[in-house]
Amino acid sequence: MPELPEVEAVTRRVRRMAAGARIVSAGLYRAGIAAPQNPEKIRRGTRGQRIEAVERRGKNILVFLDGGSVLRVHLRMTGNLTVIADHRLRPVTARAWFELDGGRAMILDDPRALGRITLHKTAELAKLFSNLGPEPLGPEFTPEFLARIAAASRKPIKLLLMDQRLIAGLGNIYAVEALFQAGIHPARKACRAGAGRLRALHAAIVGTLKLAIDSAIKAYELPGGFSEEEVFPAAVYGREGEACLRCRRLVRRMKQGGRSTYYCPGCQK
DNA sequence: AGTCACCTGATT
DNA sequence: AATCAGGTGACT
């Protein structure tokens, strides 16, 4: 379930639980997880390494190892990176695992096995992310920046928001939610969005992501397993046919780039 | 620019 | 049986 907020929550939790630990051994259950590299490279490159830091870049989790290499974990659609107390008790959906000293393990738990783990030299990170846009919660992502990339694009504004080369970390849900908040129709050509609406969109993106990070962290910490949807109720996402919370018209669904877009025909022009 | 493949599980 | 899923990269 990972867009930027969920990946941020996962990153913080793994950082708290695994920073300083040493990797005893690694296992990868299928070659695809390491694509386009291979499992052996990751097994060899991580054995005996100590985890120095855990960071996030866009939707990527970066596990920095001593010795100058870094594991890049991408959760794709259904992945989750967790630390468990006993490496032998990993679930069957654990597609990769890193046994830590003390018998714990950091695992990539991913039912669909679409997640990816690759190993890189720390010095190569800049090149790896050379096509990734700025962090939406970082200093580069200003209203002026959003106005600039919007003016330069004729594609539907929702696809612009989800283009990782332009902004790093927004996905389907939060793009949909931010556009609803800003009152912009998802199919509007980016270059034809008004200046005022774009300013509102910038604020909506930042506000939505910050709120969602808090929600994702709470969702993980709540005992009894509250789902994130209960903590962060979406205004339009997944609500096709239900009344818009603002104007009571019925929320619609359409396809953009193969993904479902939800919007209110009354509030978003 | 649009579609498909990658995977599996849940829902209709 | 068919469709859907919070992502991405490789096709046409």
Side-chain angles (χ1 to χ4, degrees):
Chain A
M1 332 171 292
E3 294 182 35
L4 185 151
E6 294 79 14
V7 177
E8 176 66 23
V10 167
T11 299
R12 291 188 197 182
R13 188 181 51 187
V14 172
R15 178 187 301 142
R16 183 156 36 82
M17 298 185 73
R22 191 171 296 278
I23 295 174
V24 175
S25 64
L28 289 93
Y29 284 137
R30 54 173 88 194
I33 297 298
Q37 300 179 349
N38 61 73
E40 188 52 33
K41 169 175 175 160
I42 292 171
R43 275 193 286 269
R44 268 202 322 267
T46 56
R47 192 175 302 128
Q49 299 280 304
R50 205 180 71 97
I51 296 174
E52 289 193 322
V54 185
E55 304 290 340
R56 179 191 59 76
R57 178 75 176 91
K59 297 172 194 168
N60 298 275
I61 302 165
L62 302 174
V63 181
F64 289 88
L65 307 176
D66 58 2
S69 56
V70 54
L71 272 179
R72 185 206 60 144
V73 181
H74 198 298
L75 303 175
R76 294 280 182 99
M77 297 279 272
T78 51
N80 190 11
L81 191 69
T82 66
V83 177
I84 58 175
D86 187 335
H87 70 94
R88 295 166 303 182
L89 300 182
R90 57 190 182 271
V92 291
T93 46
R95 307 303 182 183
W97 57 273
F98 299 87
E99 184 189 344
L100 306 177
D101 47 7
R104 296 185 306 153
M106 177 173 73
I107 64 172
L108 171 63
D109 192 8
D110 186 357
R112 279 175 75 177
L114 294 172
R116 292 287 179 269
I117 298 181
T118 50
L119 186 65
H120 308 267
K121 293 285 169 210
T122 304
E124 293 165 359
L125 270 189
K127 197 170 99 182
L128 182 66
F129 294 132
S130 62
N131 286 325
L132 203 54
E135 289 291 326
L137 295 181
E140 288 176 72
F141 186 67
T142 59
E144 293 72 31
F145 174 84
L146 181 60
R148 187 162 7 104
I149 61 174
S153 172
R154 287 175 312 254
K155 68 180 167 189
I157 190 148
K158 188 216 177 193
L159 297 185
L160 174 131
L161 294 184
M162 291 179 67
D163 188 338
Q164 303 298 298
R165 297 169 301 184
L166 300 175
I167 306 170
L170 271 186
N172 203 32
I173 289 188
Y174 299 113
V176 160
E177 291 293 312
L179 286 167
F180 170 75
Q181 265 189 45
I184 301 174
H185 194 290
R188 175 167 288 273
K189 285 191 195 327
C191 59
R192 298 201 55 237
R197 291 287 162 106
L198 283 177
R199 188 158 278 276
L201 179 59
H202 177 272
I205 290 169
V206 172
T208 302
L209 288 178
K210 284 184 173 168
L211 194 61
I213 288 174
D214 290 343
S215 301
I217 289 169
K218 283 200 189 98
Y220 282 129
E221 288 171 354
L222 277 175
F226 265 76
S227 68
E228 192 182 337
E229 299 83 74
E230 291 171 83
V231 184
F232 183 88
V236 284
Y237 184 86
R239 299 189 65 245
E240 181 184 18
E242 297 177 41
C244 169
L245 300 176
R246 194 189 289 154
C247 76
R248 310 310 295 175
R249 285 187 61 177
L250 299 188
V251 172
R252 289 189 189 162
R253 178 163 75 111
M254 65 190 282
K255 285 280 186 191
Q256 289 182 289
R259 323 293 309 282
S260 284
T261 296
Y262 299 84
Y263 67 102
C264 170
C267 297
Q268 296 173 262
K269 299 298 187 186

